[in-house]
Amino acid sequence: MSGVEVITFGCRLNTYESEVMRAQAEKAGLNNAILVNTCAVTGEAVRQARQAIRRARRENPHARIIVTGCAAQTEKETFAEMAEVDAVLGNEEKLKSASYRSLPDFGVSVEEKLRVNDIMSVRATAPQMVKHIDGHVRAFIQVQNGCDHRCTFCIIPYGRGNSRSVPMGAVVEQACRLVEGGYREIVLTGVDATSYGADLPGTPTLGLLAKTLLKRVPEILRLRLSSIDSIEADRHLLDLIAEEPRFMPHLHLSLQHGDDLILKRMKRRHSSADARAFCNEVRGLRPEISFGADMIAGFPTESEEMFANAMRLAEECGIAHLHVFPYSPRPGTPAARMPQLDRALVKDRAARLRSKGAELYASHLERMIGSEQTILVEMNGLAHTENFTLVEAAGLKPRSLTRVAITGHNGKHLTMRPKQMAAA
């Protein structure tokens, strides 16, 4: 192979950073290289990364394989000890061209492979400018990195460090660059995006950032947030939901569970009542809004009654896009030392929660039949409505915004009939 190939796991922030990595590696003159940007959220994510590394080596025996990302930060020796790996970079190092210029030669020791610093020593997030996000019709902008909270199940703060915000001016500059490149939709992303601004002068909030962005860059036609912690939602954000048509009516919530005792044992900062109240308030402001949510099944000490409370909350909040994670003990986290459930039970509860999610999604699809929607057409024959529901869009021009009538669904996606082009 020639050039630089990037294999990305995990979140939208990783997708964004993969483009930064590619640009920095190419700037450094790296060639015949594969960069693997890993995720550490679950043990399964780490397993998949190791599997991909082995496959990449079989298919590219002479390429240089560099592993980075959250799993490389938290389990650096695990990857350095793999014979297939030539170097391991930390989450801070992966964004710097100097890291790629100083890579070791083939056949070095485990210690020489490592380029991973103490992520907790990092105090700022440097703005990273990209012109495009490969393969995506919507563009991501990193506004924040790291997390100051210590949920008992989560390893990510140890892979990302403490919370750091990108200055507002740099976010505006990046948005200008992306809309000049033809992007109509921008997604603001971070590890704990709703903590944005606490470390900046004047302590601006995520909602204020979004307001400023839409005012300063009127060419943005659609603005989204990635995942938010509803307990941190500010008044500016609620104003946008109620009043700004360019702010898309979809929020992905970090709920994690629906039982109050489990939420306390997770060290979450919201209760089930907080979650219900937030969803009800937001739906009152914007009735067409849809919610996504992350929820964990089989957390240590979870009883059948506690699990039933999680199922109930998903239904009461009307979660249309439910992302279910079977609990995975991450070494070094407090939850890994709690009494564990049998793995078969964890998998069974995850399957039941996914089944509930499928029911909620089907109901959501049914409610949208007969409506008119503006869709952004993807590269794969699908499109997203403003409330982030997938639509079959074969034959429509990728990147176009098209007004359609929703005619039905096939169980997975909405079907439609074009009405007019909203924006070519």
Side-chain angles (χ1 to χ4, degrees):
M1 63 174 288
S2 62
V4 176
E5 176 186 346
V6 184
I7 301 172
T8 306
F9 293 88
C11 62
R12 291 169 177 171
L13 181 55
N14 257 14
T15 299
Y16 175 84
E17 289 179 337
S18 286
E19 291 304 320
V20 178
M21 289 162 48
R22 188 196 307 275
Q24 296 295 349
E26 290 174 347
K27 179 180 176 183
L30 198 63
N31 192 35
N32 190 28
I34 299 171
L35 312 182
V36 183
N37 198 7
T38 64
C39 172
V41 167
T42 64
E44 176 62 15
V46 177
R47 187 194 69 80
Q48 289 179 2
R50 289 169 58 84
Q51 187 178 54
I53 291 164
R54 294 189 184 100
R55 182 168 57 250
R57 174 58 71 212
R58 287 195 302 271
E59 295 173 355
N60 303 276
H62 303 298
R64 181 171 287 190
I65 296 179
I66 299 103
V67 180
T68 184
C70 289
Q73 184 75 45
T74 59
E75 302 181 33
K76 57 187 179 183
E77 289 84 4
T78 295
F79 292 98
E81 289 169 358
M82 293 180 69
E84 296 87 353
V85 174
D86 296 298
V88 179
L89 300 182
N91 262 334
E92 181 73 3
E93 290 76 12
K94 72 181 183 182
L95 304 176
K96 300 175 179 177
S97 61
S99 301
Y100 300 100
R101 285 195 294 268
S102 62
L103 289 173
D105 293 327
F106 289 96
V108 297
S109 68
V110 168
E111 289 74 19
E112 290 172 307
K113 289 182 181 182
L114 291 172
R115 300 286 190 278
V116 181
N117 76 347
D118 175 11
I119 197 69
M120 294 300 178
S121 68
V122 179
R123 294 288 180 261
T125 290
Q128 301 290 342
M129 299 296 172
V130 299
K131 294 181 179 179
H132 71 280
I133 309 294
D134 190 41
H136 290 264
V137 301
R138 70 181 59 81
F140 307 124
I141 299 180
Q142 178 190 18
V143 302
Q144 181 272 343
N145 203 344
C147 185
D148 290 338
H149 312 300
R150 295 296 181 265
C151 297
T152 60
F153 57 84
C154 188
I155 194 69
I156 297 306
Y158 306 99
R160 289 283 181 177
N162 291 317
S163 183
R164 302 130 16 232
S165 306
V166 177
M168 196 177 295
V171 177
V172 171
E173 182 182 352
Q174 173 69 337
C176 289
R177 179 178 299 203
L178 289 166
V179 295
E180 286 172 3
Y183 286 98
R184 291 167 168 77
E185 182 171 307
I186 301 292
V187 183
L188 304 183
T189 186
V191 174
D192 181 26
T194 31
S195 71
Y196 176 84
D199 56 325
L200 296 177
T203 60
T205 61
L206 180 66
L208 181 59
L209 170 65
K211 271 187 179 178
T212 303
L213 200 56
L214 288 168
K215 181 179 180 180
R216 297 276 299 277
V217 192
E219 298 85 358
I220 297 174
L221 299 183
R222 296 168 40 140
L223 182 67
R224 293 191 191 277
L225 305 180
S226 55
S227 178
I228 71 164
D229 204 336
S230 61
I231 203 72
E232 293 180 316
D234 66 291
R235 190 68 248 172
H236 292 293
L237 181 55
L238 294 174
D239 289 344
L240 282 174
I241 293 167
E243 301 167 4
E244 175 53 75
R246 291 186 294 154
F247 187 85
M248 294 296 95
H250 171 75
L251 293 174
H252 190 86
L253 310 176
S254 181
L255 292 184
Q256 307 305 346
H257 212 274
D259 180 83
D260 288 336
L261 183 55
I262 291 293
L263 287 168
K264 287 182 180 179
R265 288 172 177 166
M266 287 179 164
K267 209 174 179 182
R268 300 294 294 163
R269 291 166 298 136
H270 68 272
S271 67
S272 59
D274 292 329
R276 279 189 292 271
F278 178 79
C279 292
N280 288 336
E281 179 181 10
V282 169
R283 195 169 274 117
L285 296 173
R286 196 86 171 263
E288 72 272 26
I289 199 162
S290 73
F291 293 108
D294 296 328
M295 295 190 80
I296 295 172
F299 187 79
T301 75
E302 180 191 75
S303 68
E304 186 63 30
E305 181 182 357
M306 293 168 174
F307 174 69
N309 287 336
M311 297 266 279
R312 188 176 302 111
L313 184 71
E315 187 161 9
E316 291 174 346
C317 289
I319 304 300
H321 311 275
L322 187 61
H323 292 190
V324 177
F325 297 87
Y327 171 73
S328 175
R330 309 303 292 127
T333 60
R337 299 189 294 272
M338 295 179 185
Q340 304 292 306
L341 302 188
D342 181 80
R343 292 310 299 172
L345 180 59
V346 172
K347 291 179 180 178
D348 174 70
R349 287 182 179 169
R352 289 159 59 194
L353 190 52
R354 288 190 182 107
S355 179
K356 172 58 70 176
E359 290 177 19
L360 294 169
Y361 183 61
S363 297
H364 171 70
L365 294 179
E366 286 287 338
R367 286 193 297 272
M368 293 194 67
I369 295 173
S371 66
E372 290 190 7
Q373 302 287 329
T374 300
I375 60 174
L376 176 61
V377 183
E378 309 280 348
M379 314 294 275
N380 58 358
L382 296 174
H384 279 99
T385 64
E386 292 183 342
N387 68 6
F388 208 62
T389 307
L390 278 169
V391 183
E392 293 277 4
L396 296 182
K397 181 181 177 182
R399 294 184 179 272
S400 66
L401 283 169
T402 306
R403 190 71 177 170
V404 302
I406 301 302
T407 57
H409 69 84
N410 61 12
K412 291 185 178 180
H413 313 129
L414 294 169
T415 56
M416 59 83 198
R417 181 181 68 253
K419 294 184 70 67
Q420 65 181 58
M421 297 298 288

